[in-house]
């Protein structure tokens, strides 16, 4: 792994967390910068391998730590028989936060959640608010059922406007989507929808260029492809939990500052649902950033605007605290 920019902090490691060796990737430019723990999406889609695409500017103002969760990426490769549950993952996350606090001599850690990572993150900050400086959510999941319904209606509207008979037929085949599906069946049906959404730029497109982006990563290993191919099988229990998630079933009271960064063209986790929920949040401080032209991979789609939002959060936190 080459450190082309000669960063002060730039290394991979396996740390023994909650009974197994788990993978962390650290990158930053100053030891006194706040530490941000990146909670990736999926479930099971480790974004550490893609971090080189979007985060170099972030490293000026944060030390970023990527964790390949239990059942994902290099942690899964190391522990192929250790299937995750939500309780195990929350305990994993708690122990990693303790490890990072000691390693970097910090009182608290920033949590950054993307997609599935926002489910894990929003549960964690309710359970352990004293461990977290503040929470940044990108593609915040509010209700999986409503997300899918709204995303379906949006792409159907565009397909009708375009008289796209092929896409309309594919949508019709999904029936009364999302219906009563949960777990792996729910995920399989959602993947069919994603293919149609991607055609209209409403969801992440898993095309050739995306795969090449993964392979070009300085921390890529062939085993990362295998981990991606097996992620649904190992994450069955987590996918069941994910498919039924609705953040509105819990109180909207939070004890940590909350920041949402939403892509205005994100219909995979529709921004309009997160925007509506955000209005109801009661927190010590909250702020929402809406990024025009950005979709679900908000930080990749509009990297400069995304960095501006992160830089503003740093300024706000310095003022507030």
């Amino acid at each position: 792994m080459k450190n082309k920019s000669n960063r002060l902090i730039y290394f991979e490691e396996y740390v023994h967390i909650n009974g197994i060796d788990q993978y962390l990737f650290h990158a930053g430019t100053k030891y006194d910068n706040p530490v941000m723990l990146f909670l990736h999406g999926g479930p099971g889609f480790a974004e550490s391998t893609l971090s080189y695409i979007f985060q170099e500017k972030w490293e000026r103002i944060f030390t970023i730590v990527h964790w390949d969760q239990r059942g994902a990426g290099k942690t899964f490769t190391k522990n192929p028989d250790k299937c995750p549950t939500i309780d195990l993952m929350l305990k994993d996350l708690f122990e990693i936060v303790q490890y990072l606090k000691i390693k970097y001599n910090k009182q608290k850690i920033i949590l950054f959640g993307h997609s599935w990572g926002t489910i894990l993150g929003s549960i964690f900050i309710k359970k352990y608010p004293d461990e977290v400086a503040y929470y940044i959510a990108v593609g915040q999941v509010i209700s999986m059922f409503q997300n899918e319904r709204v995303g379906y209606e949006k792409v159907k509207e565009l397909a009708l406007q375009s008289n796209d008979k092929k896409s309309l037929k594919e949508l019709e085949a999904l029936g009364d989507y999302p219906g009563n599906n949960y777990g792996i069946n729910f995920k399989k049906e959602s993947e069919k929808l994603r293919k149609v959404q991607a055609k209209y730029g409403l969801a992440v497109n898993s095309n050739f260029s995306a795969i090449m982006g993964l392979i070009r990563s300085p921390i890529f290993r062939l085993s990362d492809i295998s981990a991606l191919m097996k992620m649904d099988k190992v994450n069955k229990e987590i996918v069941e939990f994910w498919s039924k998630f609705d953040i509105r079933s819990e109180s909207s009271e939070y004890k940590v500052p909350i920041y949402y960064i939403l892509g205005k063209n994100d219909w995979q986790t529709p921004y309009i649902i997160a925007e509506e929920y955000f209005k109801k949040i009661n927190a010590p401080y909250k702020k929402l950033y809406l990024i025009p032209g950005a979709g679900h991979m908000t930080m990749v789609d509009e990297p400069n605007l995304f960095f501006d939002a992160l830089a503003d959060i740093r300024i706000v936190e310095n003022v507030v605290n």
Side-chain angles (χ1 to χ4, degrees):
M1 184 180 73
K2 292 180 179 179
N3 184 2
K4 289 183 180 179
S5 300
N6 294 316
R7 299 168 183 83
L8 182 64
I9 304 163
Y10 194 75
F11 63 96
E12 302 172 277
E13 64 173 344
Y14 285 92
V15 182
H16 199 68
I17 296 291
N18 194 17
I20 64 171
D21 291 339
Q22 304 207 31
Y23 175 85
L24 300 177
F25 171 50
H26 307 244
T29 55
K30 294 179 183 176
Y31 280 106
D32 57 356
N33 274 341
V35 175
M36 174 196 289
L37 178 59
F38 191 111
L39 305 179
H40 65 68
F45 185 79
E47 293 173 67
S48 53
T49 44
L50 297 175
S51 60
Y52 77 100
I53 295 172
F54 58 79
Q55 85 169 33
E56 191 167 346
K57 283 178 76 174
W58 305 11
E59 294 162 19
R60 301 176 193 170
I61 55 175
F62 299 103
T63 297
I64 299 116
V65 181
H66 286 266
W67 161 44
D68 286 12
Q69 298 162 19
R70 187 184 293 255
K74 295 173 178 62
T75 297
F76 169 65
T77 301
K78 194 91 167 174
N79 309 274
D81 59 338
K82 301 298 181 184
C83 298
T85 65
I86 189 63
D87 290 338
L88 277 172
M89 292 185 81
L90 287 168
K91 191 168 189 296
D92 291 346
L93 179 49
F94 180 82
E95 289 192 17
I96 288 167
V97 167
Q98 304 316 304
Y99 171 76
L100 294 176
K101 283 165 62 179
I102 294 167
K103 187 172 189 67
Y104 289 102
N105 191 27
K106 305 293 182 186
Q107 291 186 332
K108 296 183 178 184
I109 301 298
I110 301 158
L111 278 194
F112 178 110
H114 179 231
S115 197
W116 148 255
T118 67
I119 296 179
L120 189 58
S122 46
I123 295 171
F124 187 87
I125 61 174
K126 284 281 187 75
K127 191 168 179 149
Y128 302 109
D130 293 340
E131 306 297 325
V132 179
Y134 50 94
Y135 170 63
I136 301 172
V138 181
Q140 175 69 51
V141 177
I142 305 303
S143 158
M144 281 304 302
F145 185 92
Q146 191 182 4
N147 279 359
E148 293 304 304
R149 189 68 208 169
V150 169
Y152 173 91
E153 292 296 342
K154 180 64 177 178
V155 75
K156 185 178 179 181
E157 173 192 328
L158 295 179
L160 283 167
Q161 287 174 5
S162 302
N163 194 27
D164 181 353
K165 292 178 181 177
K166 183 175 184 293
S167 292
L168 288 169
K169 190 174 181 180
E170 289 170 351
L171 292 171
E172 188 180 338
L174 291 172
D176 183 27
Y177 185 81
N180 295 315
N181 286 311
Y182 293 104
I184 292 299
N185 286 337
F186 183 96
K187 193 164 190 290
K188 285 179 179 176
E189 293 292 280
S190 74
E191 286 165 359
K192 292 175 186 175
L193 176 64
R194 296 291 173 268
K195 288 178 182 177
V196 185
Q197 288 176 319
K199 183 176 177 180
Y200 288 89
L202 305 181
V204 175
N205 194 346
S206 302
N207 56 16
F208 179 74
S209 62
I211 294 165
M212 288 308 296
L214 190 75
I215 292 170
R216 290 191 184 107
S217 172
I219 61 170
F220 172 76
R221 294 167 199 161
L222 279 174
S223 57
D224 295 332
I225 297 291
S226 176
L228 278 173
M229 291 172 68
K230 296 173 182 175
M231 68 180 185
D232 283 354
K233 187 175 181 181
V234 74
N235 281 284
K236 275 185 180 177
E237 283 195 47
I238 286 293
V239 167
E240 185 77 21
F241 179 86
W242 163 86
S243 67
K244 296 176 180 177
F245 181 76
D246 191 329
I247 202 171
R248 299 166 304 188
S249 64
E250 301 289 338
S251 165
S252 55
E253 298 283 327
Y254 293 87
K255 294 180 180 178
V256 303
I258 305 288
Y259 299 93
Y260 279 12
I261 307 177
L262 308 176
K264 205 171 181 180
N265 204 37
D266 183 0
W267 293 91
Q268 188 165 326
T269 51
Y271 77 93
I272 56 171
I273 302 173
E275 197 175 26
E276 188 61 33
Y277 173 77
F278 187 83
K279 294 173 186 174
K280 300 171 184 174
I281 288 175
N282 187 19
Y285 186 84
K286 66 176 185 176
K287 189 169 182 178
L288 183 145
Y289 302 83
L290 201 54
I291 309 294
H296 191 59
M297 290 296 286
T298 320
M299 55 279 194
V300 175
D301 296 337
E302 290 290 344
N304 292 328
L305 292 175
F306 195 94
F307 177 74
D308 290 346
L310 289 180
D312 187 68
I313 291 169
R314 271 297 309 270
I315 293 167
V316 169
E317 280 297 312
N318 287 338
V319 171
V320 172
N321 296 314

